[in-house]
Amino acid sequence: MRIVIGSLSHESNSFNPKYMSLEDFSPAYGNDVLSRLREDGRSPLHGIYKVIQSCGAEVLPTIFARATPGGLVSFEAYQTMKEGFLAELSKTEQIDGVCLHLHGSMVVENIGDAEGDLLTEVRAMVGDGVPIVTSLDMHATITERMMEKADAFAGFRTAPHVDTMETGERAAQLLMDALTKGYKLSMCGVGLPLLVSGEQSESAKPPMVSLIRKMEAMDKLPNVLSSSLLLGFPWVDVRYNQGTALVVTKENPRLAQAEALRLAEEFWSKLDQFKFTTAAYPFAESLAMALNAKRGPVCIADCGDNPGAGGSQNIVYPLQIMLQQNLRNILFGAIADETAYEYCLTQKIGSSFELTFGKLNIEAGAPGITAVARLKHIGNLGKTPAVAIQVAGIDVVVSKDRVMMLDPKDLEQLGLRPKEYRILVLKSGYLDPKYEAIASYGLLALTPGFTNQDFAALNYKHIKRPTHPLDQGFTYDPHEYILPSRSK
Ligand SMILES: [Zn+2]
């Protein structure tokens, strides 16, 4: 058997005006995809590759491209990657199936729904009879076009996402079982008209933890193959933004619909339970609580400017508050500011100089902070070039580009000792498990930025209404939200 694999993924925040470029994705095509898989560890595409290989099928790699969440993907960058992908796909012959990993919430300048567009092109090339199965992020937004072009989707079930490779494996297994046992896949999706942030829906905490148990029980029902709750991505103002309850069955569209409706109803009955899973306060209050802690480090997530959800990662408003209070033994970062980073490179380690960096708010010409900085270290934060500077008593990481705060060990590359600080103020949403492990406890600071948790403050114009929580208390009938499907 011959199976096409590939992955093009991005989580696009429509409030961040900076478009993503081709460079941000560093795409690999054809056989180069396989070496990228080895470098990249536990990606969904790696899971897809492993399962297809273990079934003895021939793997036909096409594309592997992904970037840190950010603004919309520029039309040019998307077109280049799409053409590269389709060129690889057009070289393949006599294929039996297609297994992809897409994010589900990638939005392209002037196009919108990237996954719908890609799946339309793939379907047109491979024809109606070749099954297409795709793994998706838990924060995927499912569109009618996506449903009409693909045979099955399988979404991550954990947030923070620790089941990425396993979800790729699940998707590939769905495809390979259907092909080897000779049945068709049926799928039904039911829309959930809401905006919910990851910080209100962590999978280890209620209500997601019980909804995941429901899905596990559903998957054991006769002829049910896979169920997913795709929560959508709140920081994108497009008409089709919503969550989806989705079920895949063995050749049984009626069963898929009945179970997807049941899952949607179950989800909606718990709507009131979607609350912050970590204590959440405005920044000044979070800081006051952290300063009272007996043991450090307390991790405060500056979640309004979270690069993990497309924030610009350059808002220095929390630092302004901390500087006003003359605090010590605190780390803040990373601030993505290429100009400030480059300026630091011209200075000597240990020297002090005036530096302007970051922005105080999200307005286009907003001022930054100008302060005396002492250069402590030049190095990297993960793979991203960065410097450590000291401003008054606070250590600040300034990076060349946006970079997610995934591992405290990355800070050690900059000569910093994360466990020894009293407080770490991190550009992050919910804490990544490696930070959780070193934190005495975690707090969410409700800060301004393109990932503001106060959705009402973001001025949505295009999303269809009613949508919870912009609209409250409306009646939800899941039957009115059944998405079209290609399964007859
Ligand atoms: Zn996600």
Side-chain angles (χ1 to χ4, degrees):
M1 252 187 270
R2 294 161 58 79
I3 311 293
V4 167
I5 70 163
S7 177
L8 172 52
S9 70
H10 186 250
E11 189 171 76
S12 316
N13 179 320
S14 69
F15 296 101
N16 184 342
K18 188 161 184 247
Y19 288 140
M20 304 296 297
S21 69
L22 191 59
E23 247 183 11
D24 293 323
F25 284 86
S26 51
Y29 301 101
N31 282 328
D32 290 346
V33 168
L34 300 182
S35 48
R36 186 71 71 79
L37 281 187
R38 282 187 282 275
E39 284 164 30
D40 223 71
R42 292 179 39 80
S43 65
L45 194 61
H46 204 161
I48 289 171
Y49 172 74
K50 275 178 32 182
V51 166
I52 294 170
Q53 265 230 321
S54 71
C55 291
E58 192 181 340
V59 176
L60 307 168
T62 53
I63 184 170
F64 186 31
R66 65 178 185 186
T68 303
L72 301 195
V73 179
S74 80
F75 180 77
E76 201 186 344
Y78 175 70
Q79 279 302 112
T80 305
M81 291 188 287
K82 178 170 134 179
E83 279 163 21
F85 168 45
L86 296 178
E88 292 297 330
L89 185 59
S90 69
K91 288 183 206 161
T92 62
E93 282 172 356
Q94 293 172 330
I95 59 171
D96 298 283
V98 178
C99 199
L100 306 174
H101 173 73
L102 305 171
H103 183 286
S105 289
M106 175 163 163
V107 186
V108 179
E109 175 193 12
N110 297 337
I111 291 183
D113 170 23
E115 289 82 3
D117 184 64
L118 278 176
L119 289 167
T120 302
E121 300 278 3
V122 175
R123 177 58 72 199
M125 277 177 87
V126 303
D128 249 0
V130 172
I132 304 174
V133 178
T134 297
S135 60
L136 296 168
D137 191 278
M138 186 179 180
H139 302 112
T141 306
I142 309 297
T143 63
E144 295 188 357
R145 243 178 137 192
M146 288 169 70
M147 290 296 292
E148 282 164 349
K149 301 300 174 187
D151 294 272
F153 296 125
F156 301 162
R157 283 184 175 170
T158 58
H161 305 319
V162 292
D163 63 339
T164 49
M165 190 165 80
E166 290 76 5
T167 308
E169 289 170 2
R170 247 171 71 219
Q173 202 63 58
L174 277 173
L175 175 69
M176 295 313 291
D177 284 348
L179 286 172
T180 53
K181 295 174 189 165
Y183 56 77
K184 286 198 167 56
L185 297 163
S186 301
M187 173 163 69
C188 179
V190 174
L192 302 162
L194 88 164
L195 300 171
V196 63
S197 68
E199 288 66 35
Q200 296 177 321
S201 52
E202 277 178 83
S203 55
K205 298 174 186 175
M208 280 310 289
V209 70
S210 66
L211 287 166
I212 290 162
R213 296 290 96 79
K214 294 271 179 213
M215 286 193 277
E216 286 165 355
M218 199 171 264
D219 289 356
K220 293 197 176 86
L221 296 174
N223 296 319
V224 172
L225 300 173
S226 169
S227 52
S228 300
L229 279 170
L230 294 321
L231 300 186
F233 179 61
W235 294 288
V236 58
D237 186 16
V238 287
R239 183 192 51 78
Y240 54 83
N241 192 348
Q242 61 177 358
T244 305
L246 186 137
V247 175
V248 179
T249 63
K250 187 173 166 183
E251 249 173 20
N252 192 333
R254 285 182 62 184
L255 178 66
Q257 180 167 317
E259 292 304 313
L261 285 167
R262 196 161 71 89
L263 187 56
E265 260 166 38
E266 188 72 39
F267 181 95
W268 204 260
S269 73
K270 295 187 182 337
L271 195 62
D272 293 344
Q273 294 176 34
F274 285 93
K275 296 197 167 89
F276 289 116
T277 46
T278 302
Y281 306 96
F283 184 74
E285 284 171 51
S286 297
L287 181 63
M289 284 183 75
L291 289 169
N292 279 327
K294 292 203 170 61
R295 212 162 51 80
V298 180
C299 286
I300 301 179
D302 174 4
C303 67
D305 189 29
N306 168 19
S312 56
Q313 202 180 0
N314 60 0
I315 312 284
V316 286
Y317 152 85
L319 180 61
Q320 186 187 41
I321 292 183
M322 293 190 285
L323 291 174
Q324 284 161 357
Q325 297 183 31
N326 267 326
L327 302 172
R328 309 198 73 76
N329 201 17
I330 294 179
L331 178 122
F332 177 58
I335 294 295
D337 185 330
E338 189 174 358
T339 308
Y341 165 81
E342 299 284 356
Y343 185 77
C344 288
L345 296 190
T346 66
Q347 304 297 310
K348 284 202 177 75
I349 300 284
S351 67
S352 294
F353 47 91
E354 192 175 83
L355 185 69
T356 300
F357 60 101
K359 290 172 68 179
L360 283 173
N361 59 51
I362 56 173
E363 301 303 324
I369 279 182
T370 301
V372 174
R374 189 172 72 85
L375 184 61
K376 292 182 81 164
H377 202 100
I378 295 173
N380 284 292
L381 186 68
K383 291 177 184 161
T384 306
V387 295
I389 58 173
Q390 186 184 339
V391 180
I394 296 173
D395 285 343
V396 180
V397 175
V398 177
S399 54
K400 187 176 182 205
D401 202 352
R402 294 177 321 112
V403 50
M404 284 165 66
M405 306 303 283
L406 297 177
D407 189 343
K409 279 212 167 66
D410 293 346
L411 293 168
E412 290 170 15
Q413 294 174 287
L414 289 167
L416 305 169
R417 296 198 175 103
K419 287 183 198 167
E420 292 176 17
Y421 288 96
R422 189 176 178 191
I423 301 171
L424 304 173
V425 181
L426 303 169
K427 291 288 184 188
S428 174
Y430 46 57
L431 286 184
D432 213 76
K434 287 174 181 154
Y435 273 103
E436 189 100 47
I438 68 152
S440 63
Y441 69 95
L443 287 167
L444 277 185
L446 302 174
T447 47
F450 298 121
T451 57
N452 196 329
Q453 296 278 346
D454 177 9
F455 301 137
L458 283 171
N459 193 19
Y460 289 81
K461 291 192 186 104
H462 304 292
I463 193 166
K464 68 178 171 311
R465 309 298 283 264
T467 287
H468 178 86
L470 302 177
D471 306 292
Q472 304 258 342
F474 59 91
T475 309
Y476 169 66
D477 177 359
H479 294 85
E480 290 172 13
Y481 287 85
I482 298 171
L483 290 159
S485 146
R486 71 185 305 267
S487 26
K488 304 287 179 301

Short mmCIF file of all heavy atoms in Angstrom, two decimals, residues 65-108:
data_model
loop_
_atom_site.label_atom_id
_atom_site.label_comp_id
_atom_site.label_asym_id
_atom_site.label_seq_id
_atom_site.Cartn_x
_atom_site.Cartn_y
_atom_site.Cartn_z
N ALA A 65 5.92 21.50 7.78
CA ALA A 65 6.13 22.92 8.04
C ALA A 65 5.26 23.35 9.21
O ALA A 65 4.07 23.02 9.24
CB ALA A 65 5.77 23.75 6.81
N ARG A 66 5.87 24.04 10.15
CA ARG A 66 5.08 24.58 11.24
C ARG A 66 5.81 25.78 11.83
O ARG A 66 7.01 25.95 11.64
CB ARG A 66 4.81 23.53 12.31
CG ARG A 66 6.04 23.04 13.03
CD ARG A 66 5.64 22.05 14.10
NE ARG A 66 6.78 21.65 14.89
CZ ARG A 66 6.71 20.71 15.82
NH1 ARG A 66 5.58 20.08 16.05
NH2 ARG A 66 7.78 20.39 16.52
N ALA A 67 5.06 26.62 12.53
CA ALA A 67 5.64 27.84 13.10
C ALA A 67 4.98 28.11 14.44
O ALA A 67 3.88 27.64 14.71
CB ALA A 67 5.42 29.01 12.15
N THR A 68 5.67 28.90 15.27
CA THR A 68 5.10 29.35 16.55
C THR A 68 3.80 30.09 16.25
O THR A 68 3.73 30.86 15.29
CB THR A 68 6.10 30.33 17.23
OG1 THR A 68 7.33 29.64 17.38
CG2 THR A 68 5.61 30.78 18.60
N PRO A 69 2.76 29.89 17.08
CA PRO A 69 1.53 30.66 16.85
C PRO A 69 1.83 32.15 16.71
O PRO A 69 2.77 32.67 17.32
CB PRO A 69 0.71 30.38 18.13
CG PRO A 69 1.17 29.03 18.56
CD PRO A 69 2.63 28.97 18.22
N GLY A 70 1.04 32.83 15.86
CA GLY A 70 1.28 34.26 15.63
C GLY A 70 0.10 34.84 14.88
O GLY A 70 -1.01 34.32 14.98
N GLY A 71 0.34 35.88 14.09
CA GLY A 71 -0.72 36.49 13.30
C GLY A 71 -1.12 35.59 12.14
O GLY A 71 -0.71 34.43 12.06
N LEU A 72 -1.94 36.11 11.23
CA LEU A 72 -2.36 35.31 10.07
C LEU A 72 -1.13 34.96 9.23
O LEU A 72 -0.12 35.66 9.26
CB LEU A 72 -3.34 36.09 9.19
CG LEU A 72 -4.64 36.59 9.80
CD1 LEU A 72 -5.61 37.01 8.69
CD2 LEU A 72 -5.30 35.56 10.70
N VAL A 73 -1.25 33.88 8.47
CA VAL A 73 -0.16 33.47 7.58
C VAL A 73 -0.27 34.32 6.31
O VAL A 73 -1.37 34.46 5.75
CB VAL A 73 -0.28 31.97 7.24
CG1 VAL A 73 0.84 31.54 6.30
CG2 VAL A 73 -0.25 31.14 8.53
N SER A 74 0.85 34.89 5.88
CA SER A 74 0.78 35.75 4.69
C SER A 74 0.38 34.91 3.49
O SER A 74 0.72 33.73 3.38
CB SER A 74 2.13 36.44 4.43
OG SER A 74 3.02 35.55 3.80
N PHE A 75 -0.35 35.54 2.58
CA PHE A 75 -0.84 34.84 1.39
C PHE A 75 0.33 34.23 0.62
O PHE A 75 0.29 33.08 0.20
CB PHE A 75 -1.60 35.85 0.51
CG PHE A 75 -2.15 35.27 -0.75
CD1 PHE A 75 -3.30 34.49 -0.72
CD2 PHE A 75 -1.50 35.47 -1.97
CE1 PHE A 75 -3.80 33.92 -1.90
CE2 PHE A 75 -2.00 34.91 -3.13
CZ PHE A 75 -3.14 34.14 -3.11
N GLU A 76 1.41 35.01 0.50
CA GLU A 76 2.58 34.56 -0.26
C GLU A 76 3.22 33.32 0.38
O GLU A 76 3.55 32.36 -0.31
CB GLU A 76 3.57 35.73 -0.28
CG GLU A 76 4.57 35.65 -1.38
CD GLU A 76 5.61 36.76 -1.23
OE1 GLU A 76 5.38 37.73 -0.48
OE2 GLU A 76 6.67 36.61 -1.86
N ALA A 77 3.40 33.36 1.72
CA ALA A 77 4.02 32.22 2.41
C ALA A 77 3.16 30.98 2.23
O ALA A 77 3.66 29.89 1.92
CB ALA A 77 4.19 32.53 3.89
N TYR A 78 1.86 31.14 2.38
CA TYR A 78 0.95 29.99 2.26
C TYR A 78 0.98 29.43 0.84
O TYR A 78 1.08 28.21 0.65
CB TYR A 78 -0.47 30.42 2.64
CG TYR A 78 -1.49 29.33 2.43
CD1 TYR A 78 -1.51 28.20 3.24
CD2 TYR A 78 -2.41 29.41 1.39
CE1 TYR A 78 -2.43 27.18 3.03
CE2 TYR A 78 -3.34 28.40 1.17
CZ TYR A 78 -3.34 27.29 2.00
OH TYR A 78 -4.26 26.29 1.78
N GLN A 79 0.90 30.33 -0.16
CA GLN A 79 0.88 29.86 -1.55
C GLN A 79 2.15 29.08 -1.87
O GLN A 79 2.10 28.04 -2.52
CB GLN A 79 0.80 31.06 -2.52
CG GLN A 79 -0.58 31.62 -2.70
CD GLN A 79 -1.61 30.60 -3.19
OE1 GLN A 79 -2.51 30.25 -2.44
NE2 GLN A 79 -1.50 30.11 -4.40
N THR A 80 3.30 29.55 -1.39
CA THR A 80 4.56 28.87 -1.67
C THR A 80 4.55 27.46 -1.06
O THR A 80 4.93 26.48 -1.71
CB THR A 80 5.74 29.69 -1.08
OG1 THR A 80 5.65 31.01 -1.61
CG2 THR A 80 7.07 29.08 -1.42
N MET A 81 4.07 27.37 0.19
CA MET A 81 4.07 26.06 0.86
C MET A 81 3.03 25.13 0.21
O MET A 81 3.28 23.95 0.03
CB MET A 81 3.80 26.23 2.35
CG MET A 81 4.97 26.90 3.07
SD MET A 81 4.79 26.93 4.86
CE MET A 81 3.54 28.18 5.09
N LYS A 82 1.89 25.70 -0.12
CA LYS A 82 0.84 24.89 -0.75
C LYS A 82 1.32 24.35 -2.10
O LYS A 82 1.16 23.17 -2.40
CB LYS A 82 -0.40 25.76 -0.93
CG LYS A 82 -1.56 25.07 -1.62
CD LYS A 82 -2.80 25.93 -1.51
CE LYS A 82 -3.52 26.04 -2.83
NZ LYS A 82 -4.74 26.86 -2.74
N GLU A 83 1.95 25.23 -2.89
CA GLU A 83 2.45 24.78 -4.20
C GLU A 83 3.52 23.70 -4.02
O GLU A 83 3.54 22.71 -4.76
CB GLU A 83 3.02 25.97 -4.99
CG GLU A 83 1.92 26.76 -5.67
CD GLU A 83 2.37 28.15 -6.11
OE1 GLU A 83 3.59 28.38 -6.26
OE2 GLU A 83 1.48 29.02 -6.29
N GLY A 84 4.39 23.87 -3.02
CA GLY A 84 5.43 22.87 -2.76
C GLY A 84 4.81 21.53 -2.37
O GLY A 84 5.23 20.47 -2.84
N PHE A 85 3.80 21.60 -1.54
CA PHE A 85 3.10 20.40 -1.09
C PHE A 85 2.41 19.70 -2.27
O PHE A 85 2.57 18.49 -2.49
CB PHE A 85 2.08 20.81 -0.02
CG PHE A 85 1.06 19.78 0.37
CD1 PHE A 85 1.42 18.46 0.61
CD2 PHE A 85 -0.29 20.14 0.52
CE1 PHE A 85 0.46 17.52 0.99
CE2 PHE A 85 -1.24 19.20 0.89
CZ PHE A 85 -0.87 17.89 1.12
N LEU A 86 1.66 20.48 -3.08
CA LEU A 86 0.92 19.89 -4.18
C LEU A 86 1.85 19.36 -5.26
O LEU A 86 1.55 18.36 -5.93
CB LEU A 86 -0.09 20.90 -4.76
CG LEU A 86 -1.20 21.33 -3.78
CD1 LEU A 86 -2.11 22.36 -4.41
CD2 LEU A 86 -2.01 20.14 -3.27
N ALA A 87 3.02 20.00 -5.41
CA ALA A 87 4.00 19.50 -6.38
C ALA A 87 4.49 18.11 -5.95
O ALA A 87 4.62 17.20 -6.78
CB ALA A 87 5.18 20.46 -6.48
N GLU A 88 4.72 17.94 -4.64
CA GLU A 88 5.13 16.61 -4.14
C GLU A 88 3.99 15.61 -4.32
O GLU A 88 4.22 14.47 -4.74
CB GLU A 88 5.52 16.69 -2.66
CG GLU A 88 6.78 17.47 -2.37
CD GLU A 88 8.03 16.87 -2.99
OE1 GLU A 88 8.08 15.62 -3.16
OE2 GLU A 88 8.95 17.63 -3.33
N LEU A 89 2.78 16.04 -4.02
CA LEU A 89 1.62 15.15 -4.14
C LEU A 89 1.42 14.72 -5.59
O LEU A 89 1.09 13.55 -5.86
CB LEU A 89 0.37 15.89 -3.61
CG LEU A 89 -0.93 15.10 -3.54
CD1 LEU A 89 -0.79 13.88 -2.64
CD2 LEU A 89 -2.07 15.99 -3.01
N SER A 90 1.67 15.64 -6.52
CA SER A 90 1.44 15.30 -7.94
C SER A 90 2.48 14.30 -8.45
O SER A 90 2.26 13.64 -9.47
CB SER A 90 1.44 16.56 -8.79
OG SER A 90 2.75 17.09 -8.82
N LYS A 91 3.61 14.15 -7.73
CA LYS A 91 4.62 13.16 -8.17
C LYS A 91 4.21 11.75 -7.79
O LYS A 91 4.79 10.79 -8.26
CB LYS A 91 5.96 13.47 -7.48
CG LYS A 91 6.67 14.70 -7.98
CD LYS A 91 8.01 14.82 -7.25
CE LYS A 91 8.49 16.23 -7.17
NZ LYS A 91 9.51 16.44 -6.13
N THR A 92 3.27 11.61 -6.85
CA THR A 92 2.92 10.28 -6.36
C THR A 92 1.90 9.62 -7.29
O THR A 92 1.08 10.31 -7.90
CB THR A 92 2.31 10.36 -4.94
OG1 THR A 92 1.10 11.12 -5.00
CG2 THR A 92 3.26 11.00 -3.96
N GLU A 93 1.99 8.31 -7.37
CA GLU A 93 1.05 7.57 -8.24
C GLU A 93 0.44 6.42 -7.48
O GLU A 93 1.05 5.89 -6.55
CB GLU A 93 1.82 7.00 -9.45
CG GLU A 93 2.10 8.06 -10.48
CD GLU A 93 3.02 7.54 -11.57
OE1 GLU A 93 3.50 6.38 -11.46
OE2 GLU A 93 3.27 8.30 -12.51
N GLN A 94 -0.73 6.02 -7.88
CA GLN A 94 -1.44 4.85 -7.31
C GLN A 94 -1.43 4.87 -5.79
O GLN A 94 -1.00 3.92 -5.15
CB GLN A 94 -0.78 3.56 -7.81
CG GLN A 94 -0.97 3.37 -9.29
CD GLN A 94 -0.17 2.21 -9.83
OE1 GLN A 94 0.90 1.89 -9.31
NE2 GLN A 94 -0.68 1.57 -10.84
N ILE A 95 -1.91 5.95 -5.24
CA ILE A 95 -1.91 6.02 -3.78
C ILE A 95 -3.20 5.43 -3.22
O ILE A 95 -4.26 5.47 -3.85
CB ILE A 95 -1.70 7.45 -3.25
CG1 ILE A 95 -2.77 8.39 -3.77
CG2 ILE A 95 -0.32 7.96 -3.60
CD1 ILE A 95 -2.72 9.74 -3.13
N ASP A 96 -3.07 4.85 -2.01
CA ASP A 96 -4.21 4.20 -1.37
C ASP A 96 -4.86 5.08 -0.31
O ASP A 96 -6.03 4.90 0.04
CB ASP A 96 -3.75 2.90 -0.72
CG ASP A 96 -3.21 1.94 -1.76
OD1 ASP A 96 -4.02 1.34 -2.47
OD2 ASP A 96 -1.97 1.86 -1.90
N GLY A 97 -4.09 6.01 0.26
CA GLY A 97 -4.66 6.85 1.30
C GLY A 97 -3.77 8.06 1.56
O GLY A 97 -2.61 8.11 1.14
N VAL A 98 -4.35 9.04 2.26
CA VAL A 98 -3.62 10.26 2.63
C VAL A 98 -3.79 10.46 4.13
O VAL A 98 -4.92 10.40 4.64
CB VAL A 98 -4.18 11.50 1.89
CG1 VAL A 98 -3.44 12.76 2.33
CG2 VAL A 98 -4.10 11.32 0.38
N CYS A 99 -2.68 10.65 4.84
CA CYS A 99 -2.77 10.92 6.28
C CYS A 99 -1.94 12.17 6.59
O CYS A 99 -0.73 12.19 6.39
CB CYS A 99 -2.26 9.72 7.08
SG CYS A 99 -2.85 9.77 8.78
N LEU A 100 -2.63 13.21 7.05
CA LEU A 100 -1.97 14.50 7.28
C LEU A 100 -2.09 14.88 8.74
O LEU A 100 -2.98 14.42 9.45
CB LEU A 100 -2.64 15.60 6.45
CG LEU A 100 -2.77 15.37 4.95
CD1 LEU A 100 -3.59 16.48 4.32
CD2 LEU A 100 -1.39 15.29 4.29
N HIS A 101 -1.20 15.79 9.18
CA HIS A 101 -1.46 16.51 10.42
C HIS A 101 -1.60 17.99 10.07
O HIS A 101 -0.69 18.59 9.49
CB HIS A 101 -0.36 16.35 11.48
CG HIS A 101 -0.64 17.25 12.65
ND1 HIS A 101 -1.65 16.97 13.55
CD2 HIS A 101 -0.14 18.45 13.02
CE1 HIS A 101 -1.73 17.97 14.43
NE2 HIS A 101 -0.83 18.87 14.13
N LEU A 102 -2.74 18.56 10.41
CA LEU A 102 -2.99 19.99 10.23
C LEU A 102 -3.38 20.53 11.60
O LEU A 102 -3.83 19.78 12.46
CB LEU A 102 -4.12 20.21 9.22
CG LEU A 102 -3.94 19.54 7.84
CD1 LEU A 102 -5.22 19.66 7.02
CD2 LEU A 102 -2.77 20.16 7.09
N HIS A 103 -3.23 21.84 11.80
CA HIS A 103 -3.65 22.37 13.11
C HIS A 103 -5.16 22.41 13.22
O HIS A 103 -5.76 21.93 14.18
CB HIS A 103 -3.06 23.76 13.33
CG HIS A 103 -3.40 24.32 14.66
ND1 HIS A 103 -4.66 24.79 14.96
CD2 HIS A 103 -2.67 24.44 15.80
CE1 HIS A 103 -4.68 25.19 16.22
NE2 HIS A 103 -3.48 24.98 16.75
N GLY A 104 -5.79 23.01 12.20
CA GLY A 104 -7.25 23.19 12.24
C GLY A 104 -7.64 24.64 12.45
O GLY A 104 -8.77 25.03 12.17
N SER A 105 -6.72 25.47 12.96
CA SER A 105 -7.02 26.89 13.15
C SER A 105 -5.96 27.76 12.49
O SER A 105 -5.52 28.77 13.02
CB SER A 105 -7.15 27.23 14.64
OG SER A 105 -8.34 26.66 15.15
N MET A 106 -5.55 27.34 11.28
CA MET A 106 -4.62 28.16 10.50
C MET A 106 -5.45 29.07 9.59
O MET A 106 -6.33 28.61 8.89
CB MET A 106 -3.72 27.24 9.67
CG MET A 106 -2.78 27.94 8.73
SD MET A 106 -1.49 26.74 8.22
CE MET A 106 -0.82 27.55 6.79
N VAL A 107 -5.15 30.35 9.66
CA VAL A 107 -5.92 31.33 8.88
C VAL A 107 -4.94 32.09 7.99
O VAL A 107 -3.89 32.53 8.44
CB VAL A 107 -6.68 32.31 9.80
CG1 VAL A 107 -7.59 33.23 8.98
CG2 VAL A 107 -7.52 31.54 10.82
N VAL A 108 -5.31 32.22 6.71
CA VAL A 108 -4.41 32.84 5.73
C VAL A 108 -4.99 34.18 5.25
O VAL A 108 -6.20 34.29 5.02
CB VAL A 108 -4.22 31.89 4.52
CG1 VAL A 108 -3.29 32.52 3.49
CG2 VAL A 108 -3.66 30.55 4.98
#
